Amino acid sequence: MTLLIDGDLLCFTCCYAVEEETHWDENIHTLTSDMRDAMRAIEQRLDVYRNITEDEGEIIICLSSYPTFRHEMYQEYKANRKTKRKPLCLPQVMNELEDRYTTVRYEGLEADDVLGVLATSKKYHDPIIVSIDKDMRTIPCKLLAGDDVELITRRQADRNWMIQSLTGDPTDNYKGISGVGAVTANKILGDTKDVTKMWEKVVENYKKQKLTYKEALTTARLARILRHEDYNMMTGKIKLWTP
């Protein structure tokens, strides 16, 4: 078994968790963190994942490399996060993580994409993605997002991806069809199971709202977490999804 860990999420959450605020007086407040505490928190999380899966197999920690191909495709991608403060000691913790564990970064890819590519590559024995990010449900994989390992089939992954192509993702700052949430998106897709047929329904509903085919395609490409067939590990070239 190989645990593929969302390293960005792991580092962010653990670094935030160990921050301590001190009120020196009514005017002076400081925020501090100890990198050693953050690393202990990370190691505890990894132990939890091992206990859930009952396996002492390989751990691969996946990290992002910015800017990504999505930023080049759509300049407003994650622009809503620019003013948000990153946790203290984040760069130091990530450096320490790379010293202690096997980590993987690919230039221009987010950790999500690295997870998707590795999980579908058949490179690792029995890979399990470890992440609470909903985007991981657009990847055909074994997923640990809570207390149990789930199997996301290709059919489920494709449907979740097409749903997000309709809804967009406000968290990542890209739009789908205004007013369309997950419930409405499911109704739009109906009983359709084939990606080609689902895509036809996506385009049809974009056009109903006076939106263009190009807008639909851009959203679908932004929403698609890369799989092995979308990325050449040897050359680093990305193959954008084309209907």
Side-chain angles (χ1 to χ4, degrees):
M1 183 179 293
T2 304
L3 298 182
L4 303 173
I5 311 290
D6 184 338
D8 287 7
L9 190 59
L10 181 66
C11 288
F12 268 75
T13 55
C14 289
C15 285
Y16 275 127
V18 301
E19 291 181 347
E20 294 187 0
E21 185 178 9
T22 303
H23 296 185
W24 298 97
D25 58 37
E26 62 182 12
N27 297 313
I28 300 176
H29 297 188
T30 60
L31 191 65
T32 59
S33 67
D34 188 324
M35 188 189 79
R36 293 167 296 183
D37 291 339
M39 289 305 301
R40 278 192 287 270
I42 286 173
E43 288 164 1
Q44 288 169 2
R45 290 277 185 93
L46 295 178
D47 285 341
V48 168
Y49 303 148
R50 289 191 185 101
N51 288 335
I52 291 173
T53 56
E54 299 180 341
D55 194 282
E56 291 292 330
E58 187 177 12
I59 285 181
I60 307 292
I61 297 178
C62 302
L63 299 168
S64 294
S65 175
Y66 288 99
T68 72
F69 73 95
R70 290 186 184 84
H71 292 89
E72 295 178 6
M73 188 194 316
Y74 182 66
Q75 291 186 350
E76 294 304 307
Y77 182 69
K78 291 190 175 180
N80 54 335
R81 302 189 188 187
K82 289 181 179 179
T83 58
K84 292 185 178 180
R85 178 183 70 83
K86 290 183 174 63
L88 301 176
C89 77
L90 179 65
Q92 293 79 9
V93 166
M94 284 191 163
N95 288 338
E96 184 69 17
L97 202 65
E98 291 184 285
D99 287 340
R100 294 193 194 184
Y101 296 96
T102 300
T103 59
V104 178
R105 292 181 193 260
Y106 291 135
E107 186 176 352
L109 301 193
E110 295 178 69
D112 291 2
D113 298 302
V114 180
L115 289 164
V117 169
L118 296 186
T120 56
S121 68
K122 299 182 180 179
K123 183 178 180 180
Y124 299 102
H125 171 65
D126 193 17
I128 298 175
I129 290 179
V130 181
S131 177
I132 59 171
D133 190 333
K134 71 180 188 313
D135 292 346
M136 296 300 98
R137 296 183 181 279
T138 67
I139 302 169
C141 67
K142 286 184 178 179
L143 175 67
L144 177 59
D147 296 329
D148 294 297
V149 177
E150 308 169 53
L151 175 64
I152 311 296
T153 66
R154 179 171 291 274
R155 184 174 291 173
Q156 290 170 328
D158 287 342
R159 186 178 182 87
N160 290 335
W161 165 43
M162 285 291 112
I163 287 172
Q164 197 148 311
S165 298
L166 286 162
T167 65
D169 190 346
T171 304
D172 289 340
N173 204 46
Y174 66 87
K175 298 177 181 179
I177 300 174
S178 179
V180 173
V183 173
T184 303
N186 261 307
K187 289 180 180 178
I188 288 171
L189 296 178
D191 295 330
T192 311
K193 296 176 181 178
D194 178 72
V195 172
T196 302
K197 297 296 183 182
M198 285 192 284
W199 174 243
E200 289 174 0
K201 288 180 179 289
V202 170
V203 173
E204 177 186 342
N205 279 270
Y206 266 77
K207 289 181 178 179
K208 282 182 181 179
Q209 299 301 318
K210 310 299 183 186
L211 298 170
T212 66
Y213 179 89
K214 183 179 179 180
E215 288 172 306
L217 181 58
T218 297
T219 303
R221 285 174 168 175
L222 290 169
R224 183 175 175 87
I225 303 302
L226 298 185
R227 304 175 189 180
H228 179 65
E229 63 265 27
D230 303 320
Y231 184 74
N232 187 318
M233 291 185 184
M234 299 298 293
T235 65
K237 293 290 181 65
I238 297 165
K239 181 182 178 183
L240 292 177
W241 179 72
T242 301

